[in-house]
Amino acid sequence: MTIIEQLKKLEQESIERKVPIIGPEKAKWILNKIKQHKPKTILELGTANGYSGIILASEGATLTTVDTSPHAVQEAMKNFKEFNITAHVILGDGVKYVEELAREKIQFDMILLDFANKEYIKVLEPCLKILSKKGILIADNIDLPGCKEFKERIQVHPKLDTEIITIGNGMSYSVFK
């Protein structure tokens, strides 16, 4: 049984409770990218209940995930434990956390942006400082109004090869050159 099939119950509960999750179609797409690139370290901004984090870490990567909601962090930790996922769960501001990581020169092989989309543009350059060579930057919901500037910038950024994925509210998939 695939991890996405195992997450069916959590997916249904999330939909019923209106917890924002990436859903099975985006989950399959992300899982394929994880299997393709085999990232060892992943940063996720926007934990929610841990649904996407479980997928991100399902192939053995070390996951660091950040959220501003104490309730979300607690729920995610419970779900990570249930699915045997090792994750560093940080309660805090994603923008400030990424800026701190950039100062410390900590590297990640993959970053998933799935938090307040108006903040994506603020973390773009700091994310590029912590993304390893050939690292992957994925952003969810990029067709929403708050992501307009981010979406435009990543498509012309000299350090990124970007593809726009038309699933749901859109996603971007950028490889760091």
Side-chain angles (χ1 to χ4, degrees):
M1 186 182 322
T2 70
I3 190 67
I4 295 164
E5 292 166 327
Q6 292 172 47
L7 282 167
K8 204 75 185 146
K9 182 174 174 250
L10 182 58
E11 177 194 327
Q12 286 307 119
E13 288 172 6
S14 300
I15 292 166
E16 287 166 16
R17 293 175 39 228
K18 296 186 176 19
V19 175
I21 61 168
I22 58 172
E25 195 177 358
K26 288 179 180 179
K28 284 181 191 138
W29 185 90
I30 288 173
L31 185 57
N32 284 336
K33 291 300 173 192
I34 288 166
K35 288 180 176 183
Q36 177 187 343
H37 294 284
K38 298 176 179 29
K40 302 230 182 316
T41 54
I42 301 175
L43 174 64
E44 174 187 42
L45 300 182
T47 311
N49 63 2
Y51 178 91
S52 54
I54 292 166
I55 292 154
L56 292 168
S58 66
E59 296 291 308
T62 301
L63 174 68
T64 301
T65 183
V66 184
D67 204 292
T68 57
S69 165
H71 176 75
V73 163
Q74 287 299 317
E75 190 173 345
M77 289 188 338
K78 179 181 82 69
N79 288 327
F80 290 151
K81 188 174 183 184
E82 183 182 331
F83 283 87
N84 210 17
I85 297 295
T86 303
H88 306 287
V89 185
I90 312 292
L91 176 62
D93 179 299
V95 176
K96 288 180 182 158
Y97 189 71
V98 170
E99 289 169 348
E100 185 181 310
L101 291 172
R103 281 191 299 275
E104 294 174 16
K105 297 180 172 54
I106 292 171
Q107 297 277 283
F108 289 90
D109 300 323
M110 180 180 278
I111 299 172
L112 173 65
L113 303 181
D114 192 12
F115 69 135
N117 42 39
K118 68 183 185 314
E119 305 287 345
Y120 288 14
I121 194 69
K122 293 179 185 172
V123 296
L124 177 57
E125 293 304 323
C127 278
L128 296 182
K129 288 179 181 162
I130 64 172
L131 203 54
S132 58
K133 195 89 171 128
K134 300 281 184 215
I136 307 301
L137 176 65
I138 298 172
D140 193 18
N141 300 315
I142 61 152
D143 288 338
L144 296 178
C147 282
K148 187 177 186 307
E149 186 183 352
F150 174 83
K151 184 178 178 180
E152 289 169 0
R153 181 99 42 99
I154 58 170
Q155 291 182 84
V156 297
H157 200 291
K159 293 181 180 174
L160 296 172
D161 281 325
T162 298
E163 186 182 331
I164 302 301
I165 312 302
T166 55
I167 305 172
N169 288 329
M171 296 173 69
S172 63
Y173 164 71
S174 303
V175 179
F176 188 55
K177 297 181 194 176

